CSV table of all heavy atoms in Angstrom, one decimal:
chain,number,residue,atom,x,y,z
A,1234,LEU,N,179.0,62.6,48.7
A,1234,LEU,CA,180.2,63.2,49.3
A,1234,LEU,C,180.8,64.3,48.4
A,1234,LEU,O,180.8,64.2,47.2
A,1234,LEU,CB,181.3,62.1,49.5
A,1234,LEU,CG,180.9,60.9,50.4
A,1234,LEU,CD1,182.0,60.0,50.5
A,1234,LEU,CD2,180.4,61.4,51.8
A,1235,ASN,N,181.3,65.4,49.0
A,1235,ASN,CA,181.9,66.5,48.3
A,1235,ASN,C,183.4,66.5,48.7
A,1235,ASN,O,183.7,67.2,49.7
A,1235,ASN,CB,181.1,67.8,48.6
A,1235,ASN,CG,181.6,68.9,47.8
A,1235,ASN,OD1,182.4,68.8,46.9
A,1235,ASN,ND2,181.1,70.1,48.1
A,1236,GLY,N,184.2,65.8,47.9
A,1236,GLY,CA,185.6,65.8,48.3
A,1236,GLY,C,186.0,64.7,49.2
A,1236,GLY,O,185.1,63.8,49.5
A,1237,LYS,N,187.1,64.8,49.8
A,1237,LYS,CA,187.6,63.8,50.7
A,1237,LYS,C,187.5,64.3,52.2
A,1237,LYS,O,187.3,65.5,52.4
A,1237,LYS,CB,189.1,63.4,50.4
A,1237,LYS,CG,189.3,62.8,49.1
A,1237,LYS,CD,190.8,62.5,48.8
A,1237,LYS,CE,190.9,61.8,47.5
A,1237,LYS,NZ,192.3,61.4,47.3
A,1238,VAL,N,187.7,63.3,53.1
A,1238,VAL,CA,187.8,63.7,54.5
A,1238,VAL,C,188.9,64.7,54.7
A,1238,VAL,O,190.0,64.4,54.3
A,1238,VAL,CB,187.9,62.5,55.4
A,1238,VAL,CG1,188.1,62.9,56.9
A,1238,VAL,CG2,186.7,61.5,55.2
A,1239,ALA,N,188.6,65.8,55.4
A,1239,ALA,CA,189.7,66.8,55.8
A,1239,ALA,C,190.0,66.6,57.2
A,1239,ALA,O,189.2,66.2,58.1
A,1239,ALA,CB,189.2,68.2,55.5
A,1240,ALA,N,191.3,66.9,57.5
A,1240,ALA,CA,191.8,66.8,58.9
A,1240,ALA,C,192.9,67.8,59.1
A,1240,ALA,O,193.6,68.2,58.1
A,1240,ALA,CB,192.3,65.4,59.2
A,1241,PRO,N,193.1,68.2,60.3
A,1241,PRO,CA,194.3,69.1,60.6
A,1241,PRO,C,195.6,68.3,60.3
A,1241,PRO,O,195.6,67.1,60.3
A,1241,PRO,CB,194.1,69.5,62.1
A,1241,PRO,CG,193.1,68.5,62.7
A,1241,PRO,CD,192.4,67.9,61.5
A,1242,ALA,N,196.6,69.1,60.1
A,1242,ALA,CA,197.9,68.4,59.9
A,1242,ALA,C,198.3,67.6,61.1
A,1242,ALA,O,198.3,68.1,62.2
A,1242,ALA,CB,199.0,69.5,59.6
A,1243,PRO,N,198.7,66.4,60.9
A,1243,PRO,CA,199.1,65.5,62.1
A,1243,PRO,C,200.5,65.8,62.5
A,1243,PRO,O,201.3,66.4,61.7
A,1243,PRO,CB,199.0,64.1,61.5
A,1243,PRO,CG,199.2,64.3,60.0
A,1243,PRO,CD,198.7,65.6,59.7
A,1244,LYS,N,200.8,65.4,63.7
A,1244,LYS,CA,202.2,65.4,64.1
A,1244,LYS,C,202.9,64.3,63.4
A,1244,LYS,O,202.2,63.4,62.9
A,1244,LYS,CB,202.3,65.2,65.7
A,1244,LYS,CG,201.6,66.3,66.5
A,1244,LYS,CD,201.7,66.0,67.9
A,1244,LYS,CE,200.9,67.0,68.8
A,1244,LYS,NZ,200.9,66.6,70.2
A,1245,SER,N,204.2,64.2,63.5
A,1245,SER,CA,204.9,63.1,62.9
A,1245,SER,C,206.1,62.7,63.8
A,1245,SER,O,206.7,63.6,64.4
A,1245,SER,CB,205.4,63.5,61.5
A,1245,SER,OG,206.1,62.4,60.9
A,1246,LYS,N,206.4,61.4,63.9
A,1246,LYS,CA,207.5,60.9,64.7
A,1246,LYS,C,208.0,59.6,64.1
A,1246,LYS,O,207.3,58.9,63.4
A,1246,LYS,CB,207.2,60.8,66.1
A,1246,LYS,CG,206.2,59.6,66.4
A,1246,LYS,CD,206.0,59.5,67.9
A,1246,LYS,CE,205.0,58.4,68.2
A,1246,LYS,NZ,204.8,58.2,69.7
A,1247,PHE,N,209.3,59.3,64.4
A,1247,PHE,CA,209.9,58.1,64.0
A,1247,PHE,C,209.5,57.0,65.0
A,1247,PHE,O,209.6,57.2,66.2
A,1247,PHE,CB,211.4,58.2,63.9
A,1247,PHE,CG,212.0,56.9,63.4
A,1247,PHE,CD1,212.1,56.7,62.0
A,1247,PHE,CD2,212.5,56.0,64.3
A,1247,PHE,CE1,212.7,55.5,61.6
A,1247,PHE,CE2,213.1,54.8,63.8
A,1247,PHE,CZ,213.2,54.6,62.5
A,1248,GLU,N,208.9,55.9,64.4
A,1248,GLU,CA,208.6,54.8,65.3
A,1248,GLU,C,209.4,53.6,64.9
A,1248,GLU,O,209.3,53.1,63.7
A,1248,GLU,CB,207.1,54.4,65.2
A,1248,GLU,CG,206.2,55.4,65.9
A,1248,GLU,CD,204.8,55.0,66.1
A,1248,GLU,OE1,204.4,53.8,65.8
A,1248,GLU,OE2,204.0,55.8,66.6
A,1249,LYS,N,210.3,53.2,65.8
A,1249,LYS,CA,211.2,52.1,65.5
A,1249,LYS,C,210.5,50.8,65.2
A,1249,LYS,O,211.0,50.0,64.4
A,1249,LYS,CB,212.2,51.9,66.6
A,1249,LYS,CG,211.7,51.5,67.9
A,1249,LYS,CD,212.7,51.4,69.0
A,1249,LYS,CE,212.1,51.0,70.3
A,1249,LYS,NZ,213.1,50.9,71.4
A,1250,ASP,N,209.3,50.5,65.8
A,1250,ASP,CA,208.6,49.3,65.5
A,1250,ASP,C,208.3,49.2,64.0
A,1250,ASP,O,208.2,48.1,63.4
A,1250,ASP,CB,207.4,49.2,66.3
A,1250,ASP,CG,207.7,49.0,67.8
A,1250,ASP,OD1,208.8,48.5,68.1
A,1250,ASP,OD2,206.8,49.3,68.6
A,1251,PHE,N,208.0,50.3,63.4
A,1251,PHE,CA,207.6,50.4,61.9
A,1251,PHE,C,208.8,50.8,61.1
A,1251,PHE,O,208.7,50.8,59.8
A,1251,PHE,CB,206.4,51.2,61.7
A,1251,PHE,CG,205.2,50.8,62.5
A,1251,PHE,CD1,204.7,51.5,63.5
A,1251,PHE,CD2,204.5,49.6,62.1
A,1251,PHE,CE1,203.6,51.1,64.3
A,1251,PHE,CE2,203.4,49.2,62.8
A,1251,PHE,CZ,203.0,49.9,63.9
A,1252,ASP,N,209.9,51.3,61.7
A,1252,ASP,CA,211.1,51.8,61.0
A,1252,ASP,C,210.8,52.9,60.0
A,1252,ASP,O,211.2,52.9,58.9
A,1252,ASP,CB,211.8,50.6,60.3
A,1252,ASP,CG,213.2,51.0,59.9
A,1252,ASP,OD1,213.8,51.8,60.5
A,1252,ASP,OD2,213.7,50.4,58.8
A,1253,MET,N,209.9,53.8,60.4
A,1253,MET,CA,209.5,55.0,59.6
A,1253,MET,C,208.9,56.1,60.4
A,1253,MET,O,208.5,55.9,61.6
A,1253,MET,CB,208.5,54.5,58.5
A,1253,MET,CG,207.2,54.1,59.1
A,1253,MET,SD,205.9,53.7,57.9
A,1253,MET,CE,206.6,52.3,57.1
A,1254,ASN,N,208.8,57.2,59.8
A,1254,ASN,CA,208.1,58.4,60.4
A,1254,ASN,C,206.6,58.1,60.1
A,1254,ASN,O,206.2,57.8,59.0
A,1254,ASN,CB,208.5,59.7,59.7
A,1254,ASN,CG,209.8,60.1,60.2
A,1254,ASN,OD1,210.1,60.0,61.4
A,1254,ASN,ND2,210.7,60.7,59.4
A,1255,VAL,N,205.8,58.3,61.1
A,1255,VAL,CA,204.3,58.1,61.0
A,1255,VAL,C,203.6,59.3,61.4
A,1255,VAL,O,204.0,60.0,62.4
A,1255,VAL,CB,203.9,56.8,61.7
A,1255,VAL,CG1,204.4,55.6,61.2
A,1255,VAL,CG2,204.2,56.9,63.2
A,1256,PRO,N,202.5,59.7,60.7
A,1256,PRO,CA,201.6,60.8,61.2
A,1256,PRO,C,200.7,60.3,62.2
A,1256,PRO,O,200.1,59.2,62.2
A,1256,PRO,CB,200.9,61.2,59.9
A,1256,PRO,CG,200.8,59.9,59.1
A,1256,PRO,CD,202.1,59.1,59.4
A,1257,TYR,N,200.4,61.2,63.3
A,1257,TYR,CA,199.6,60.7,64.4
A,1257,TYR,C,198.9,61.9,65.0
A,1257,TYR,O,199.3,63.1,64.8
A,1257,TYR,CB,200.4,59.9,65.4
A,1257,TYR,CG,201.3,60.8,66.2
A,1257,TYR,CD1,201.0,61.3,67.4
A,1257,TYR,CD2,202.6,61.1,65.6
A,1257,TYR,CE1,201.9,62.1,68.1
A,1257,TYR,CE2,203.5,61.9,66.3
A,1257,TYR,CZ,203.1,62.4,67.6
A,1257,TYR,OH,204.0,63.2,68.3
A,1258,TYR,N,197.8,61.6,65.8
A,1258,TYR,CA,197.1,62.6,66.5
A,1258,TYR,C,197.0,62.2,68.0
A,1258,TYR,O,196.9,61.0,68.3
A,1258,TYR,CB,195.7,62.8,66.0
A,1258,TYR,CG,195.6,63.3,64.6
A,1258,TYR,CD1,195.3,62.4,63.6
A,1258,TYR,CD2,195.7,64.6,64.3
A,1258,TYR,CE1,195.2,62.8,62.3
A,1258,TYR,CE2,195.6,65.0,63.0
A,1258,TYR,CZ,195.4,64.2,62.0
A,1258,TYR,OH,195.3,64.6,60.7
A,1259,THR,N,197.1,63.2,68.9
A,1259,THR,CA,196.9,63.0,70.3
A,1259,THR,C,195.8,63.9,70.8
A,1259,THR,O,195.4,64.8,70.1
A,1259,THR,CB,198.2,63.3,71.1
A,1259,THR,OG1,198.6,64.7,70.9
A,1259,THR,CG2,199.4,62.4,70.7
A,1260,LYS,N,195.3,63.5,72.0
A,1260,LYS,CA,194.3,64.3,72.7
A,1260,LYS,C,193.0,64.5,72.0
A,1260,LYS,O,192.0,63.9,72.4
A,1260,LYS,CB,194.9,65.7,73.1
A,1260,LYS,CG,196.0,65.6,74.0
A,1260,LYS,CD,196.5,67.0,74.5
A,1260,LYS,CE,197.8,66.8,75.3
A,1260,LYS,NZ,198.3,68.1,75.7
A,1261,GLU,N,193.0,65.2,70.9
A,1261,GLU,CA,191.7,65.5,70.2
A,1261,GLU,C,191.9,65.8,68.7
A,1261,GLU,O,192.9,66.5,68.4
A,1261,GLU,CB,191.0,66.7,70.9
A,1261,GLU,CG,189.7,67.1,70.2
A,1261,GLU,CD,189.1,68.3,70.9
A,1261,GLU,OE1,188.6,68.2,72.0
A,1261,GLU,OE2,189.1,69.4,70.2
A,1262,VAL,N,191.1,65.3,67.9
A,1262,VAL,CA,191.2,65.6,66.4
A,1262,VAL,C,189.7,65.6,65.9
A,1262,VAL,O,188.9,64.8,66.3
A,1262,VAL,CB,192.1,64.7,65.6
A,1262,VAL,CG1,191.6,63.2,65.7
A,1262,VAL,CG2,192.2,65.1,64.2
A,1263,ILE,N,189.4,66.6,65.0
A,1263,ILE,CA,188.1,66.6,64.4
A,1263,ILE,C,188.3,66.5,62.9
A,1263,ILE,O,189.0,67.3,62.2
A,1263,ILE,CB,187.4,68.0,64.7
A,1263,ILE,CG1,187.2,68.1,66.2
A,1263,ILE,CG2,186.1,68.0,63.9
A,1263,ILE,CD1,186.6,69.5,66.6
A,1264,PHE,N,187.7,65.4,62.3
A,1264,PHE,CA,187.7,65.1,60.9
A,1264,PHE,C,186.5,65.8,60.3
A,1264,PHE,O,185.4,65.8,61.0
A,1264,PHE,CB,187.8,63.6,60.7
A,1264,PHE,CG,189.0,62.9,61.2
A,1264,PHE,CD1,188.9,62.3,62.5
A,1264,PHE,CD2,190.2,62.9,60.5
A,1264,PHE,CE1,190.0,61.7,63.0
A,1264,PHE,CE2,191.3,62.3,61.0
A,1264,PHE,CZ,191.2,61.7,62.3
A,1265,GLN,N,186.5,66.2,59.1
A,1265,GLN,CA,185.4,66.9,58.4
A,1265,GLN,C,185.1,66.3,57.1
A,1265,GLN,O,186.1,66.1,56.3
A,1265,GLN,CB,185.6,68.4,58.3
A,1265,GLN,CG,185.8,69.1,59.6
A,1265,GLN,CD,186.0,70.6,59.4
A,1265,GLN,OE1,185.5,71.2,58.5
A,1265,GLN,NE2,186.9,71.2,60.2
A,1266,GLN,N,183.9,66.0,56.8
A,1266,GLN,CA,183.5,65.6,55.4
A,1266,GLN,C,182.3,66.4,54.9
A,1266,GLN,O,181.3,66.5,55.5
A,1266,GLN,CB,183.0,64.1,55.5
A,1266,GLN,CG,182.5,63.6,54.1
A,1266,GLN,CD,183.5,63.6,53.0
A,1266,GLN,OE1,184.5,62.9,53.1
A,1266,GLN,NE2,183.3,64.4,51.9
A,1267,LYS,N,182.6,67.1,53.8
A,1267,LYS,CA,181.5,67.9,53.2
A,1267,LYS,C,180.6,67.0,52.4
A,1267,LYS,O,181.1,66.0,51.8
A,1267,LYS,CB,182.1,69.0,52.2
A,1267,LYS,CG,182.7,70.1,53.0
A,1267,LYS,CD,183.1,71.2,52.0
A,1267,LYS,CE,183.7,72.4,52.8
A,1267,LYS,NZ,184.1,73.5,51.8
A,1268,VAL,N,179.3,67.3,52.4
A,1268,VAL,CA,178.3,66.5,51.7
A,1268,VAL,C,177.4,67.5,50.9
A,1268,VAL,O,177.1,68.6,51.3
A,1268,VAL,CB,177.5,65.6,52.6
A,1268,VAL,CG1,178.3,64.5,53.2
A,1268,VAL,CG2,176.7,66.4,53.6
A,1269,LYS,N,177.1,67.0,49.7
A,1269,LYS,CA,176.1,67.7,48.9
A,1269,LYS,C,174.7,67.2,49.2
A,1269,LYS,O,174.5,66.0,49.1
A,1269,LYS,CB,176.4,67.6,47.4
A,1269,LYS,CG,177.6,68.2,46.9
A,1269,LYS,CD,177.8,68.0,45.4
A,1269,LYS,CE,179.2,68.6,45.0
A,1269,LYS,NZ,179.4,68.4,43.6
A,1270,LEU,N,173.8,68.0,49.5
A,1270,LEU,CA,172.4,67.6,49.9
A,1270,LEU,C,171.6,67.5,48.7
A,1270,LEU,O,171.6,68.4,47.8
A,1270,LEU,CB,171.8,68.6,50.9
A,1270,LEU,CG,172.7,68.9,52.1
A,1270,LEU,CD1,172.1,69.9,53.0
A,1270,LEU,CD2,172.9,67.6,52.9
A,1271,LYS,N,170.8,66.4,48.6
A,1271,LYS,CA,169.9,66.2,47.4
A,1271,LYS,C,168.4,66.5,47.8
A,1271,LYS,O,167.7,67.2,47.0
A,1271,LYS,CB,170.1,64.8,46.9
A,1271,LYS,CG,171.5,64.6,46.3
A,1271,LYS,CD,171.6,63.3,45.7
A,1271,LYS,CE,173.0,63.1,45.1
A,1271,LYS,NZ,173.2,61.7,44.6
A,1272,ASN,N,168.0,66.0,48.9
A,1272,ASN,CA,166.6,66.2,49.3
A,1272,ASN,C,166.4,65.8,50.8
A,1272,ASN,O,167.1,65.0,51.3
A,1272,ASN,CB,165.6,65.5,48.4
A,1272,ASN,CG,165.8,64.0,48.3
A,1272,ASN,OD1,166.1,63.4,49.3
A,1272,ASN,ND2,165.8,63.5,47.1
A,1273,GLY,N,165.4,66.4,51.4
A,1273,GLY,CA,165.0,66.1,52.7
A,1273,GLY,C,166.0,66.4,53.8
A,1273,GLY,O,166.9,67.2,53.6
A,1274,GLN,N,165.9,65.6,54.9
A,1274,GLN,CA,166.9,65.7,55.9
A,1274,GLN,C,167.7,64.4,55.9
A,1274,GLN,O,167.4,63.4,56.5
A,1274,GLN,CB,166.2,65.8,57.3
A,1274,GLN,CG,165.6,67.2,57.5
A,1274,GLN,CD,165.1,67.3,59.0
A,1274,GLN,OE1,164.9,66.3,59.7
A,1274,GLN,NE2,164.8,68.5,59.4
A,1275,PRO,N,168.8,64.4,55.1
A,1275,PRO,CA,169.6,63.2,55.0
A,1275,PRO,C,170.2,62.7,56.3
A,1275,PRO,O,170.6,63.4,57.1
A,1275,PRO,CB,170.7,63.5,54.0
A,1275,PRO,CG,170.6,65.0,53.8
A,1275,PRO,CD,169.4,65.5,54.4
A,1276,VAL,N,170.3,61.4,56.4
A,1276,VAL,CA,171.0,60.7,57.5
A,1276,VAL,C,172.3,60.2,56.9
A,1276,VAL,O,172.3,59.3,56.0
A,1276,VAL,CB,170.1,59.6,58.0
A,1276,VAL,CG1,170.9,58.8,59.1
A,1276,VAL,CG2,168.8,60.1,58.6
A,1277,VAL,N,173.4,60.7,57.4
A,1277,VAL,CA,174.7,60.3,56.9
A,1277,VAL,C,175.2,59.2,57.9
A,1277,VAL,O,175.3,59.4,59.1
A,1277,VAL,CB,175.7,61.5,56.9
A,1277,VAL,CG1,177.1,61.0,56.5
A,1277,VAL,CG2,175.2,62.6,56.0
A,1278,LYS,N,175.5,58.0,57.3
A,1278,LYS,CA,176.0,56.9,58.1
A,1278,LYS,C,177.4,56.5,57.6
A,1278,LYS,O,177.7,56.7,56.4
A,1278,LYS,CB,175.1,55.7,57.9
A,1278,LYS,CG,173.7,55.9,58.5
A,1278,LYS,CD,172.9,54.6,58.3
A,1278,LYS,CE,171.5,54.8,58.9
A,1278,LYS,NZ,170.7,53.6,58.8
A,1279,GLY,N,178.2,56.1,58.5
A,1279,GLY,CA,179.6,55.6,58.1
A,1279,GLY,C,180.3,54.9,59.2
A,1279,GLY,O,179.7,54.7,60.3
A,1280,VAL,N,181.5,54.5,58.9
A,1280,VAL,CA,182.4,53.8,59.8
A,1280,VAL,C,183.8,54.4,59.7
A,1280,VAL,O,184.3,54.7,58.6
A,1280,VAL,CB,182.4,52.3,59.5
A,1280,VAL,CG1,183.4,51.6,60.3
A,1280,VAL,CG2,181.0,51.7,59.6
């Protein structure tokens, strides 16, 4: 891995159930993770 997962800035709203402002995404979001390649055609797996 090269750095942390990157994401666009989320929206934020106050949620009374949690009694705080929370960051969230609606409709669509694309997360990105840079990787340094060592050899071959790597298979990146995750959850």
